[in-house]
Amino acid sequence: DTEVTQTPKHLVMGMTNKKSLKCEQHMGHRAMYWYKQKAKKPPELMFVYSYEKLSINESVPSRFSPECPNSSLLNLHLHALQPEDSALYLCASSLRPHVPYEQYFGPGTRLTVT
Amino acid sequence: TQLLEQSPQFLSIQEGENLTVYCNSSSVFSSLQWYRQEPGEGPVLLVTVVTGGEVKKLKRLTFQFGDARKDSSLHITAAQPGDTGLYLCAVLILGGGATNKLIFGTGTLLAVQP
């Protein structure tokens, strides 16, 4: 199983809502990533979890709150977002955190903030 | 200033044509990767090149790593509509241990018309 799953596929939320994105992998990977991608642009790294611990936060605003409950699951909690936060949010995983090569990406969650 | 500049930014061609995409930097890298992202999906790893001057082939795709390990090219022969997507080069940035991360190039959006 080389699949990373993400739910929901689409999400529309108001600026006062609280929502969560979910990512799951069962490949035994010990590094998991959140990326933000605007249309026709490359993915931008947001957070990295290594062995269920947050190892990289790319100065992401606190309205985005990541969580890694176990080695297979990664969440991104959203609160008080702005319209400019509308984007595709990609989750990825890789086997070894120290060598983040061969990342497997999920299909993403298309987020629209109204 | 982007670490990895890709050219062209956009490319629209007819089925059967050949094309080359470039990924350039002023920095030297130990290795470089190419990903393809199809519409509505996450990026998928195509290849990793590690040696200066290295050439790798994947069916109709030919990847080359520059001799000085600062640049790379992707050549597609007889393009097909299924090749349509966003092509991304990526390199590993060493922050030390669990802070190593993958950085993507600016991307090339390819559309192959039937």
Side-chain angles (χ1 to χ4, degrees), chain A residues 81-110:
Chain A
L81 294 193
Q82 304 297 310
E84 59 264 30
D85 296 322
S86 298
L88 181 68
Y89 288 85
L90 292 164
C91 173
S93 69
S94 65
L95 181 60
R96 293 177 292 163
H98 292 60
V99 186
Y101 264 172
E102 297 197 15
Q103 293 189 20
Y104 290 81
F105 285 82
T109 293
R110 176 77 58 191

Side-chain angles (χ1 to χ4, degrees), chain A residues 11-81:
Chain A
L11 178 62
V12 179
M13 61 185 290
M15 289 190 284
T16 58
N17 291 158
K18 284 186 181 180
K19 296 286 184 184
S20 296
L21 308 185
K22 179 180 172 181
C23 172
E24 203 160 1
Q25 58 88 14
H26 296 286
M27 295 179 278
H29 288 179
R30 302 311 301 273
M32 296 187 77
Y33 312 81
W34 280 115
Y35 289 87
K36 175 183 178 180
Q37 185 177 29
K38 291 283 199 178
K40 302 177 184 176
K41 297 294 184 183
E44 296 176 358
L45 184 64
M46 299 174 72
F47 303 104
V48 180
Y49 272 84
S50 303
Y51 300 104
E52 296 91 68
K53 287 185 173 26
L54 184 66
S55 59
I56 295 179
N57 176 342
E58 293 285 83
S59 302
V60 179
S62 59
R63 57 186 185 268
F64 295 91
S65 175
E67 179 195 19
C68 190
N70 59 58
S71 60
S72 300
L73 192 55
L74 186 66
N75 297 319
L76 185 63
H77 303 298
L78 314 173
H79 173 54
L81 294 193

Side-chain angles (χ1 to χ4, degrees), chain A residues 6 9 33 35 37-45 48-51 53 55-56 58 88 90-91 97-108 110, chain B residues 2 9-10 30-33 35 37 40-45 48-50 86 88 90-92 94 96-107 109:
Chain A
Q6 289 187 245
K9 195 164 179 62
Y33 312 81
Y35 289 87
Q37 185 177 29
K38 291 283 199 178
K40 302 177 184 176
K41 297 294 184 183
E44 296 176 358
L45 184 64
V48 180
Y49 272 84
S50 303
Y51 300 104
K53 287 185 173 26
S55 59
I56 295 179
E58 293 285 83
L88 181 68
L90 292 164
C91 173
H98 292 60
V99 186
Y101 264 172
E102 297 197 15
Q103 293 189 20
Y104 290 81
F105 285 82
R110 176 77 58 191
Chain B
Q2 294 287 339
Q9 195 174 357
F10 301 102
S30 57
S31 59
L32 184 143
Q33 294 187 312
Y35 287 79
Q37 184 176 18
E41 299 294 331
V44 174
L45 177 65
T48 302
V49 286
V50 297
L86 180 66
L88 298 158
V91 294
L92 186 63
L94 299 177
T99 61
N100 296 338
K101 59 188 178 184
L102 205 59
I103 297 298
F104 288 92
T106 51
L109 190 60

Side-chain angles (χ1 to χ4, degrees), chain B residues 36-96:
Chain B
R36 176 171 64 207
Q37 184 176 18
E38 297 181 12
E41 299 294 331
V44 174
L45 177 65
L46 296 174
V47 77
T48 302
V49 286
V50 297
T51 306
E54 181 178 4
V55 176
K56 280 192 174 179
K57 292 192 174 184
L58 184 65
K59 297 182 181 178
R60 294 175 293 100
L61 278 60
T62 302
F63 305 85
Q64 183 161 12
F65 201 13
D67 291 340
R69 291 182 286 123
K70 292 183 178 182
D71 53 76
S72 181
S73 64
L74 157 59
H75 182 79
I76 301 179
T77 303
Q80 298 177 0
D83 296 326
T84 293
L86 180 66
Y87 287 81
L88 298 158
C89 60
V91 294
L92 186 63
I93 301 300
L94 299 177

